Amino acid sequence: MLESPHIPVLPNEVLALLQDTRNPNPKWFLDGTAGEGGHSKLILQTFPEANLILIDRDAVMLERAKKEIQKEIGSLDRVHAFQMNFSEVDETLLSDLGCPGLDGALVDLGVSLFHFLHSGRGFTFKNEEPLDMRLEPQVGQKTAADVVNYSSVLHLKKVFWEYGEERWALKIANNIVQTRHKKKFETSTDLAKLVEASIPRKFWPKESHPATRIFQALRIEVNEELIHAEKGIRTLANSLCLGGVLTCISFHSLEDRIVKWTFRDLKATDHFEILTKKPILPTDKEIKENRASRSAKLRGLRKIEPIKESRWEK
């Protein structure tokens, strides 16, 4: 299967923030969401003396990133790869690697196009696939089908409204519960067709499928994405060495809100400064060349004071 080459989002802007680290000889960087390895390759090329800790919760994506880095850089000698959630990075992992603190870290909160186009896990409504949506299928957590088939009306409404900001949340939830009494939801098209039938045609979004928000909400619920985002941002911020920089790319308002509020909370401790008063957005040129970048927002944070005891470490 031929795939279009992956283009990292906001590449120059990410590198500019990471290069703003106050350490003259940066040695340790972390990519918390390896994805296709696009940003990782740029970091390794920009900092030829530095090590890169490569993290992804999806084993398939981690291997794809390593393969791309190997092809572009020629070696994985400076890469330390771990299949895990970036929120699970801790002092023990860094210490075992001999890392005294991170000079820079990146978290790209978006889901790779690979998941939508080629994973076969039901992330998209364009193909008939099992309604799974797990980023870590080997872990065995609930699937999207489990959520749809066994959650109460109120829970489904809450998920669709809070994670998808879907105005038809209650009607869709009611229709799901009524329909599953006759036949359980098994595929992505099963769900997409129900959503289409639940929203009056005149209220369908002009530029997206009517099920887009529902699929986003289920994906977030299944993978606990927003919970891990906040925990991971705090963890990585505390793992920075003095002068180190944390960068975060988000792709929808819920993610960006968490990044913004968490950065503000960390700044209030007086140990950090926010480098981006407003999120950095892609240029018109980038959006034209890379459609996937159109909703991206980039924010940056720097550690400016040592932390003797973090109230986030329990």
Side-chain angles (χ1 to χ4, degrees):
M1 181 182 297
L2 295 176
E3 301 177 23
S4 58
H6 171 69
I7 305 174
V9 170
L10 295 165
N12 297 327
E13 292 83 353
V14 167
L15 289 177
L17 284 174
L18 292 178
Q19 287 175 306
D20 202 22
T21 177
R22 293 292 170 82
N23 302 313
N25 297 301
K27 296 295 183 183
W28 289 95
F29 290 86
L30 180 143
D31 186 342
T33 42
E36 301 280 357
H39 289 109
S40 297
K41 291 185 291 186
L42 293 175
I43 292 171
L44 289 166
Q45 291 167 338
T46 305
F47 303 96
E49 302 299 320
N51 295 282
L52 177 70
I53 302 171
L54 191 66
I55 305 290
D56 205 288
R57 64 191 298 186
D58 190 328
V60 174
M61 297 312 301
L62 189 63
E63 288 304 313
R64 286 172 66 88
K66 288 166 59 179
K67 183 178 179 180
E68 285 300 311
I69 293 171
Q70 177 84 49
K71 183 168 63 176
E72 186 77 20
I73 306 298
S75 170
L76 294 174
D77 291 347
R78 294 188 286 133
V79 177
H80 309 271
F82 299 90
Q83 186 209 337
M84 60 193 301
N85 196 299
F86 69 89
S87 65
E88 299 171 323
V89 173
D90 57 19
E91 290 184 6
T92 300
L93 184 146
L94 299 181
S95 178
D96 289 346
L97 292 174
C99 171
L102 297 171
D103 296 290
L106 166 67
V107 174
D108 181 340
L109 296 173
V111 175
S112 172
L113 283 176
F114 168 84
H115 288 103
F116 294 103
L117 299 177
H118 308 297
S119 71
R121 300 182 206 160
F123 288 96
T124 177
F125 34 75
K126 295 180 180 180
N127 304 315
E128 185 165 21
E129 301 173 352
L131 195 56
D132 189 321
M133 297 195 191
R134 291 175 297 172
L135 293 173
E136 300 171 278
Q138 71 285 348
V139 172
Q141 81 263 31
K142 63 187 177 186
T143 66
D146 293 331
V147 176
V148 170
N149 289 323
Y150 301 107
S151 298
S152 67
V153 168
L154 290 180
H155 183 70
L156 288 173
K157 174 182 177 282
K158 181 175 184 288
V159 169
F160 298 156
W161 174 251
E162 292 188 1
Y163 295 159
E165 298 179 314
E166 174 56 68
R167 60 179 294 193
W168 298 91
L170 181 57
K171 183 177 181 181
I172 294 169
N174 274 318
N175 288 349
I176 285 173
V177 172
Q178 291 174 13
T179 300
R180 76 191 188 195
H181 287 315
K182 304 173 185 176
K183 184 180 183 298
K184 292 289 192 288
F185 290 84
E186 296 179 353
T187 69
S188 53
T189 50
D190 289 343
L191 180 60
K193 289 178 180 178
L194 179 135
V195 176
E196 289 178 1
S198 299
I199 303 176
R201 187 65 182 252
K202 65 180 180 180
F203 294 112
W204 284 18
K206 294 182 179 180
E207 297 184 357
S208 62
H209 190 280
T212 298
R213 293 177 181 271
I214 296 301
F215 273 65
Q216 171 187 296
L218 280 174
R219 192 197 76 223
I220 291 173
E221 168 73 3
V222 167
N223 296 289
E224 299 181 332
E225 292 178 26
L226 301 185
I227 296 172
H228 287 296
E230 180 177 357
K231 179 184 176 184
I233 289 169
R234 295 186 187 280
T235 297
L236 293 182
N238 289 339
S239 298
L240 294 171
C241 57
L242 284 183
V245 172
L246 170 62
T247 60
C248 295
I249 302 175
S250 59
F251 288 87
H252 56 73
S253 59
L254 297 176
E255 292 173 341
D256 183 59
R257 200 175 301 147
I258 284 176
V259 176
K260 179 173 69 174
W261 289 352
T262 307
F263 276 16
R264 286 181 179 178
D265 197 18
L266 290 167
K267 180 180 182 295
T269 67
D270 295 328
H271 298 296
F272 300 91
E273 65 176 342
I274 296 173
L275 302 178
T276 47
K277 292 183 178 180
K278 294 183 178 180
I280 299 173
L281 306 178
T283 62
D284 292 339
K285 181 176 183 293
E286 179 175 0
I287 293 173
K288 184 176 180 180
E289 295 174 351
N290 182 15
R291 183 70 174 165
S293 71
R294 64 190 182 279
S295 59
K297 294 181 179 180
L298 170 66
R299 296 181 186 270
L301 182 82
R302 179 192 287 120
K303 180 183 280 190
I304 57 174
E305 292 288 344
I307 300 176
K308 294 181 180 180
E309 182 179 353
S310 172
R311 61 192 174 107
W312 308 114
E313 295 176 1
K314 300 290 186 181

